[in-house]
Amino acid sequence: MKIELASSYGFCFGVKRAIRIAEEHKGSKTYGPLIHNKDEINRLQEGFNIGLAETLEDIDADDAVVIRTHGIPKHELEVLKAQKNRVIDATCPYVTTPQQIVEKMSKEGYSIIIFGDKNHPEIKGVVSYAVNPEDAFIVLEAEELEALPLSGKVALVSQTTRKPEDFLKIVNALILTRKEVRVFNTICNATFENQDAAAALAKRADVMIVIGGKHSSNTKQLHSICKRDCEESYLIENEQELDPSWFEGKELCGISAGASTPDWIVQNVIDKIESIKQ
């Protein structure tokens, strides 16, 4: 059986940047998981003494605090600064962009619509930048728009890891009912590249292995995309979750990985698959 990696996979620019920042600040704490990959978080803890604060109460006044790639709500950032914590911002620049857009357009009187998962940390941060919280709405489906008390003009942004075709459904629904719609495509280029590469490989593969955190939005999106063209697509966090039966009678095993998946985990998975097929 041949094993083939997608032409684009794994760590994106924002994650590489965040990991480097964390490694440069040994003994600091991240506020929330730095990225959605528990194995990489464990590596940072063991090798660089990087702690994890799940809540503001877990942060002491003298702590150096690394802000995770997904960002945090604006008011929580203000609390950290008021406490005189040393704040080290590792928020991905692609996430900072929709935060800034929401703040600017909200100040200009636009109703804000954010396409994404309301429970995702990135979206919790982005929506917090709206000047008027009652005029900022989070949606996942176009049907949700009908019930919203929108003003005359609307500004739309997207969670960075959503599918472009799903974002387009929201855009189309809005322009049919609103006179003024400002659309900001805030989906990350790295997300496009990884998704396109995974889709191309899934069309040829007999089995697809997608590696990444089970709570990672972009990894779950990759898995969903792969399953469209390769029914036998499996989402795993590391090599320990591989099932030898997946590879029986297969000729081509494709591998992709989410933006929070380090190369060392990908290599461990490849090594395990090769040992299974010997």
Side-chain angles (χ1 to χ4, degrees), residues 247-260:
F247 309 102
E248 293 176 2
K250 302 299 190 295
E251 295 183 2
L252 175 60
C253 171
I255 294 179
S256 183
S260 298

Side-chain angles (χ1 to χ4, degrees), residues 113 145 150 154 156 170-178 181:
I113 298 178
L145 296 171
L150 301 174
V154 175
L156 172 68
I170 306 296
V171 175
N172 289 338
L174 280 173
I175 61 176
L176 290 173
T177 59
R178 317 310 301 181
V181 180

Side-chain angles (χ1 to χ4, degrees), residues 194-212:
N194 282 4
Q195 290 179 353
D196 289 347
L201 182 53
K203 286 180 171 66
R204 298 186 288 109
D206 302 304
V207 58
M208 281 292 298
I209 304 299
V210 180
I211 312 164

Side-chain angles (χ1 to χ4, degrees), residues 100-113 129-137 149-156 178 180-182 184:
Q100 294 170 339
I101 291 170
V102 165
E103 186 169 44
K104 179 177 184 294
M105 301 311 293
S106 181
K107 286 179 179 177
E108 293 181 13
Y110 284 78
S111 288
I112 303 298
I113 298 178
Y129 280 79
V131 175
N132 181 6
E134 295 182 357
D135 201 20
F137 310 94
L150 301 174
S151 65
K153 51 186 185 178
V154 175
L156 172 68
R178 317 310 301 181
E180 182 178 348
V181 180
R182 296 286 301 275
F184 298 88

Side-chain angles (χ1 to χ4, degrees), residues 4-276:
E4 184 177 334
L5 280 163
S7 59
S8 177
Y9 69 91
F11 270 2
C12 62
F13 156 76
V15 170
K16 288 179 181 176
R17 174 178 172 272
I19 295 296
R20 184 185 72 249
I21 289 172
E23 290 177 344
E24 291 171 351
H25 294 88
K26 293 182 178 180
S28 61
K29 287 182 179 177
T30 66
Y31 181 32
L34 185 67
I35 60 174
H36 278 148
N37 189 290
K38 60 179 175 30
D39 292 329
E40 181 66 4
I41 288 171
N42 289 340
R43 184 190 72 85
L44 289 171
Q45 185 174 28
E46 294 168 5
F48 298 86
N49 191 30
I50 304 296
L52 171 61
E54 294 283 6
T55 67
L56 288 174
E57 288 69 33
D58 297 329
I59 298 172
D60 297 324
D62 57 348
D63 284 334
V65 182
V66 179
I67 305 302
R68 61 193 173 200
T69 49
H70 296 112
I72 62 174
K74 184 179 181 181
H75 66 275
E76 293 185 347
L77 184 60
E78 291 170 348
V79 168
L80 292 175
K81 291 178 178 178
Q83 291 179 172
K84 306 300 183 184
N85 286 105
R86 183 185 176 198
V87 177
I88 304 145
D89 195 354
T91 305
C92 175
Y94 285 106
V95 173
T96 303
T97 296
Q99 291 177 348
Q100 294 170 339
I101 291 170
V102 165
E103 186 169 44
K104 179 177 184 294
M105 301 311 293
S106 181
K107 286 179 179 177
E108 293 181 13
Y110 284 78
S111 288
I112 303 298
I113 298 178
I114 303 166
F115 171 55
D117 177 1
K118 65 181 180 181
N119 296 315
H120 194 282
E122 175 189 326
I123 296 305
K124 290 180 180 179
V126 170
V127 73
S128 73
Y129 280 79
V131 175
N132 181 6
E134 295 182 357
D135 201 20
F137 310 94
I138 302 166
V139 301
L140 269 177
E141 305 291 341
E143 292 73 21
E144 298 175 57
L145 296 171
E146 297 176 9
L148 301 182
L150 301 174
S151 65
K153 51 186 185 178
V154 175
L156 172 68
V157 299
S158 174
Q159 186 173 338
T160 56
T161 52
R162 306 309 301 189
K163 295 178 185 176
E165 56 266 37
D166 292 339
F167 183 52
L168 188 57
K169 293 176 183 177
I170 306 296
V171 175
N172 289 338
L174 280 173
I175 61 176
L176 290 173
T177 59
R178 317 310 301 181
K179 289 295 184 181
E180 182 178 348
V181 180
R182 296 286 301 275
V183 178
F184 298 88
N185 182 1
T186 52
I187 298 175
C188 174
N189 289 338
T191 300
F192 286 141
E193 293 165 4
N194 282 4
Q195 290 179 353
D196 289 347
L201 182 53
K203 286 180 171 66
R204 298 186 288 109
D206 302 304
V207 58
M208 281 292 298
I209 304 299
V210 180
I211 312 164
K214 296 287 176 64
H215 300 293
S216 166
S217 176
N218 81 82
T219 303
K220 289 188 288 186
Q221 292 279 4
L222 279 178
H223 180 231
S224 173
I225 287 168
C226 289
K227 278 191 77 71
R228 289 192 311 214
D229 294 298
C230 180
E231 181 60 31
E232 293 191 54
S233 296
Y234 303 96
L235 173 57
I236 64 171
E237 292 197 345
N238 53 52
E239 74 280 4
Q240 296 172 11
E241 297 180 17
L242 290 168
D243 185 335
S245 68
W246 296 344
F247 309 102
E248 293 176 2
K250 302 299 190 295
E251 295 183 2
L252 175 60
C253 171
I255 294 179
S256 183
S260 298
T261 307
D263 285 343
W264 63 269
I265 292 181
V266 175
Q267 190 58 53
N268 285 351
V269 170
I270 293 172
D271 292 345
K272 182 67 177 290
I273 294 173
E274 289 177 339
S275 70
I276 288 172

